[in-house]
């Protein structure tokens, strides 16, 4: 009988349309759990055509809505700044990834961390009685003033200030100039448990915080994984979990995923895919075709993808742990769960990071070529597998092509139409306004937002509850001189060398989702209109353009194996140098 009552209530909510909770009615306000994967490809989830086992995310997809045209930034920190504020990264302080600004990019919005001119979701919700907590990657602060505990999170366990590190207890950094530290609330965590693994540890901490909260208050929880960001590593018992699954190679994997996507209705039959080997001008040194490689070469080349897949499945398992606890506590029915990846799969190797060198890598990560996936091993995915992980899109992380900036978004909750793919245009800045509508926060008349940059996104609730088809028509993107703009089904983009051509291109994403056929010369009027829209985006967000590559910009591009002045400065600014 209870099942039928619950179903009747759900149907009533769906028919009633969007609703807003009064800020004073604490018992009625919903809970929120935001889960962010790190460098995960669009189709790694089985529900989107992947072969990786993701039963938790698949169940969320069946019980909620999958937004298939959801966009983020090309890299981690800018995306996370837009998520946590609802403000374009160029106004939230992350106009550049931390420390990678060009000489002409000056001012508070190009410091590579949040500033006090924006309000975070945690600050807004804690002000109305929410219990707020986060666990995982922060990547939005050089100093403690902008740490989670000082930006609205009452409880936090955060990786700072870097965007990645060893997934094990050794806390090895991804570069000599990216110190890796864990901070619990205000205190540095000097040592991790011997059996520490990031995905498990982050879930443990969040469950601890949720258990310690005031149970009669609503909660806002942020679970920010560093999986499957490199270095690709998993506990020993997971190392062989995907043995043999990828033996046919990355092209075969990409084709198999595309076939499943067509069967799911995500792609039109016969869609022409962007093909990694088809673009030798971008990748002159790419490896020989899979079938032309020796058995030993294939065995070595397949291991990164096997480890990566295991990382994704293990992350899915930990999300399941959190959801089962919420269900046992009776909180899940009134919780909105939001899941996405901060950008596309990463293609580069370890030497791309600030100050990294072969000498430093050999000294620090001395197990890299012996035991891939194990402690002290810096395994990376590479361009072939990264391009397959983002099927059917083109390119990967760091670009403004679809493979770099399109992310899977799953939203599940009491007022969301279940089991649906939705192709409404959506953007990461829409998450905060969606939460604000549901929690009863109105930034326009809230004193907390006075003299602050107002959220720029749109609430997705009218889309998620099936009332309207779309709430936005366009968005713009810029990072490291790479630029893009989408309006409706049309998109323009420009990715600079060495990955892109440096020229503006025009694509019809409805007819050509793989961005294979450039229409710039065929449709000059459309191109002109799109460029005008992009220029307006630049003006509204005071974007400072640069043609400089992030691989060349900034003082962190030093190639010693030591902690130089920049590295030392990061320690001292955070107050962590002993």
């Amino acid at each position: 009988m209870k099942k039928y009552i619950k179903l009747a209530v759900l149907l009533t909510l769906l028919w009633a349309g969007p609703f807003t909770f009064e800020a004073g009615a604490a018992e009625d306000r919903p809970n929120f759990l935001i889960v962010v994967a790190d460098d995960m490809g669009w189709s790694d989830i089985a529900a989107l055509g992947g072969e990786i086992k993701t039963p938790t995310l698949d169940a969320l997809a069946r019980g909620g809505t999958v937004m298939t045209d959801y966009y983020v930034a090309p890299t981690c920190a800018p995306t996370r700044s837009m998520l946590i504020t609802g403000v374009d990264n160029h106004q939230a302080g992350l106009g550049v990834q931390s420390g990678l600004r060009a000489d002409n990019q000056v001012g508070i919005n190009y410091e590579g961390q949040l500033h006090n001119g924006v309000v975070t979701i945690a600050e807004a919700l804690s002000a109305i009685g929410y219990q707020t907590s986060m666990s995982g990657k922060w990547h939005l602060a050089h100093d403690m003033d902008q740490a989670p505990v000082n930006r609205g999170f009452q409880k936090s366990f955060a990786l700072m200030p870097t965007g990645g590190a060893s997934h094990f207890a050794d806390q090895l950094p991804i570069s000599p100039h990216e110190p890796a530290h864990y901070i619990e609330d205000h205190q540095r965590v000097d040592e991790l448990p011997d059996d520490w693994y990031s995905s498990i540890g982050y879930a443990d901490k969040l469950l601890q915080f949720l258990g310690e909260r005031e149970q009669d208050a609503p909660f806002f929880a942020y679970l920010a994984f560093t999986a499957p960001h490199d270095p690709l590593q998993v506990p020993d018992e997971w190392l062989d979990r995907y043995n043999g699954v990828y033996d046919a190679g990355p092209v075969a994997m990409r084709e198999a995923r595309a076939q499943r996507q067509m069967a799911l209705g995500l792609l039109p039959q016969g869609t022409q895919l962007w093909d990694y080997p088809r673009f030798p001008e971008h990748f002159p040194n790419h490896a020989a075709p899979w079938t032309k490689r020796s058995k030993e070469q294939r065995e070595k080349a397949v291991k990164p993808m096997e480890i990566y897949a295991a990382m994704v499945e293990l992350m899915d398992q930990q999300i399941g742990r959190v959801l089962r606890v919420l269900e046992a506590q009776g909180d899940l029915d009134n919780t909105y769960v939001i899941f996405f990846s901060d950008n596309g799969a990463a293609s580069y190797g370890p030497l791309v990071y600030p100050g990294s060198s072969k000498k430093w890598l050999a000294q620090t990560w001395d197990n890299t070529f012996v035991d891939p996936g194990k402690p002290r091993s810096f395994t990376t995915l590479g361009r072939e597998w990264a391009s397959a992980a983002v099927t059917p899109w083109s390119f990967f992380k760091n670009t403004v092509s679809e493979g770099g900036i399109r992310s899977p978004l799953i939203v599940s909750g009491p007022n969301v139409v279940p089991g649906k793919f939705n192709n409404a245009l959506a953007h990461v800045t829409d998450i905060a306004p969606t939460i604000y509508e549901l929690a009863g926060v109105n930034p326009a008349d809230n004193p907390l937002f006075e003299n602050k940059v107002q959220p720029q996104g749109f609430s997705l609730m009218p889309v998620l509850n099936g009332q309207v088809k779309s709430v936005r028509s366009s968005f713009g993107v810029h990072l490291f001189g790479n630029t893009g703009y989408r309006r409706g089904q049309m998109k323009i983009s420009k990715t600079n060398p060495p990955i892109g051509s440096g020229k503006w291109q025009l694509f019809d994403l409805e007819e050509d989702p793989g961005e294979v056929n450039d229409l710039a010369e065929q449709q000059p009027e459309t191109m002109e209109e799109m460029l005008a829209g992009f220029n307006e985006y630049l003006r509204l967000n005071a974007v400072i353009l640069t043609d400089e590559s992030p691989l060349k910009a900034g003082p962190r591009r030093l190639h010693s194996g030591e902690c130089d002045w920049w590295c030392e400065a990061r320690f001292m600014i955070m107050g962590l140098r002993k």
Side-chain angles (χ1 to χ4, degrees):
M1 186 67 179
K2 289 182 179 179
K3 280 187 176 180
Y4 293 110
I5 293 173
K6 187 184 290 186
L7 179 61
V9 171
L10 176 60
L11 290 173
T12 300
L13 288 171
L14 293 176
W15 289 329
F19 57 95
T20 301
F21 292 96
E22 293 296 326
E27 68 277 6
D28 294 329
R29 278 178 271 154
N31 307 307
F32 302 99
L33 171 63
I34 296 179
V35 182
V36 177
D38 198 351
D39 291 5
M40 192 193 78
W42 191 85
S43 57
D44 287 330
I45 302 170
L48 291 173
E51 67 295 316
I52 302 173
K53 296 174 183 177
T54 53
T56 303
L57 293 174
D58 296 343
L60 281 175
R62 289 192 300 271
T65 293
V66 180
M67 304 290 289
T68 59
D69 286 42
Y70 172 72
Y71 287 87
V72 293
T75 63
C76 319
T79 289
R80 292 162 194 264
S81 72
M82 292 189 282
L83 162 68
I84 210 71
T85 65
V87 172
D88 187 87
N89 60 292
H90 294 87
Q91 296 200 57
L94 276 294
V96 293
Q97 187 96 351
S98 175
L100 294 176
R101 64 185 179 190
D103 291 341
N104 67 315
Q105 293 177 320
V106 296
I108 193 170
N109 286 324
Y110 290 86
E111 292 184 351
Q113 67 172 355
L114 292 179
H115 56 69
N116 294 327
V118 290
V119 177
T120 71
I121 301 174
E123 289 169 331
L125 295 192
S126 63
I128 60 170
Y130 271 77
Q131 299 286 291
T132 58
S133 59
M134 76 85 61
S135 179
K137 173 175 170 173
W138 184 236
H139 209 193
L140 297 177
H142 304 319
D143 55 65
M144 285 299 297
D145 287 347
Q146 301 300 331
V149 71
N150 292 319
R151 294 312 310 253
F153 288 100
Q154 297 148 4
K155 299 293 293 182
S156 63
F157 179 87
L159 173 65
M160 287 180 59
T162 182
S166 168
H167 294 275
F168 295 113
D170 51 35
Q171 300 188 55
L172 291 181
I174 58 175
S175 93
H177 309 309
E178 290 274 2
H181 304 297
Y182 291 95
I183 309 292
E184 184 157 358
D185 298 336
H186 293 281
Q187 299 298 317
R188 174 174 169 177
V189 178
D190 289 317
E191 293 185 5
L192 297 170
D194 290 341
D195 62 350
W196 171 268
Y197 179 76
S198 66
S199 295
I200 300 171
Y202 295 151
D204 284 345
K205 275 296 179 182
L206 191 72
L207 287 173
Q208 174 192 326
F209 297 153
L210 290 172
E212 294 171 348
R213 70 184 175 89
E214 296 177 18
Q215 295 299 313
D216 58 349
F219 68 80
F220 168 70
Y222 176 30
L223 180 55
F225 289 104
T226 47
H229 193 292
D230 56 39
L232 305 183
Q233 297 172 316
V234 283
D236 284 354
E237 61 270 25
W238 287 80
L239 279 170
D240 298 327
R241 201 170 186 88
Y242 282 84
N243 274 4
V245 173
Y246 300 103
D247 285 357
V251 173
M253 168 186 159
R254 186 172 177 81
E255 291 174 349
R257 287 193 178 188
Q259 288 301 315
R260 288 191 289 269
Q261 289 166 348
M262 291 176 194
L264 289 167
L266 290 165
L267 282 182
Q269 291 293 327
T271 295
Q272 186 179 9
L273 295 181
W274 182 85
D275 188 2
Y276 168 79
R278 189 184 297 155
F279 290 83
E281 68 273 18
H282 300 316
F283 309 113
N285 299 317
H286 76 267
W290 195 254
T291 55
K292 303 281 188 181
R293 302 180 206 181
S294 68
K295 180 182 177 183
E296 291 75 18
Q297 288 174 323
R298 293 196 300 270
E299 287 175 351
K300 181 179 179 181
V302 81
K303 199 62 185 176
M305 186 62 211
E306 292 176 354
I307 300 167
Y308 173 93
M311 292 179 75
V312 173
E313 183 182 349
L314 180 50
M315 177 184 66
D316 180 272
Q317 181 192 80
Q318 298 309 304
I319 298 169
R321 281 181 60 213
V322 175
L323 296 183
R324 284 192 296 274
V325 170
L326 293 180
E327 185 174 29
Q329 293 175 345
D331 291 321
L332 190 57
D333 286 347
N334 194 36
T335 299
Y336 284 87
V337 182
I338 299 170
F339 172 86
F340 65 94
S341 176
D342 60 359
N343 44 247
S347 65
Y348 42 70
L351 296 181
V352 75
Y353 292 113
S356 185
S357 67
K358 291 181 179 179
K359 178 182 177 182
W360 176 84
L361 189 68
Q363 292 173 339
T364 309
W365 296 86
D366 52 13
N367 203 27
T368 294
F369 300 108
V370 181
D371 289 312
K374 289 193 173 186
R376 307 188 72 89
S377 173
F378 204 122
T379 302
T380 54
L381 194 57
R383 291 179 288 203
E384 293 180 297
W385 295 113
S387 70
V390 301
T391 304
W393 317 125
S394 62
F395 289 96
F396 19 66
K397 178 181 178 177
N398 273 335
T399 75
V400 291
S401 295
E402 296 294 281
I405 61 174
R406 196 186 291 216
S407 166
L409 172 65
I410 301 174
V411 183
S412 173
N415 200 31
V416 176
V417 176
K420 183 178 181 181
F421 290 128
N422 190 302
N423 66 353
L425 190 60
H427 189 259
V428 63
T429 54
D430 299 332
I431 301 298
T434 303
I435 290 174
Y436 290 157
E437 178 184 347
L438 291 168
V441 174
N442 183 4
D445 60 12
N446 189 314
L448 190 65
F449 290 82
E450 189 174 350
N451 298 321
K452 303 291 178 71
V453 183
Q454 293 286 307
Q456 298 165 323
F458 304 87
S459 171
L460 295 173
M461 284 312 301
V463 173
L464 294 169
N465 66 25
Q467 190 175 52
V468 302
K469 289 186 176 181
S470 184
V471 292
R472 72 159 57 234
S473 59
S474 65
F475 76 90
V477 59
H478 162 261
L479 193 66
F480 304 141
N482 300 326
T483 49
Y485 179 75
R486 178 170 172 179
R487 187 185 64 195
Q489 69 192 61
M490 305 303 293
K491 177 190 171 187
I492 57 172
S493 63
K494 180 179 68 171
T495 296
N496 290 323
I499 295 177
S501 65
K503 297 179 180 178
W504 280 106
Q505 296 178 298
L506 171 67
F507 300 104
D508 183 334
L509 295 180
E510 187 172 306
E511 298 295 327
D512 178 28
E515 296 180 295
V516 175
N517 302 304
D518 179 9
L519 303 175
E521 293 185 4
Q522 299 176 34
Q523 299 186 23
E525 291 183 0
T526 303
M527 190 73 189
E528 186 175 343
E529 292 172 4
M530 296 290 285
L531 284 170
F534 174 72
N535 287 330
E536 180 64 8
Y537 161 76
L538 298 182
R539 185 189 69 80
L540 290 173
N541 291 286
V543 176
I544 301 174
L545 290 173
T546 175
D547 292 327
E548 190 168 10
S549 167
L551 302 183
K552 298 177 181 178
R556 294 161 64 193
R557 289 292 153 198
L558 304 175
H559 291 275
S560 70
E562 305 297 326
C563 186
D564 71 348
W565 67 268
W566 175 262
C567 175
E568 292 290 346
R570 293 285 286 276
F571 278 95
M572 290 187 290
I573 289 171
M574 292 182 67
L576 298 175
R577 172 54 83 204
K578 294 187 175 181

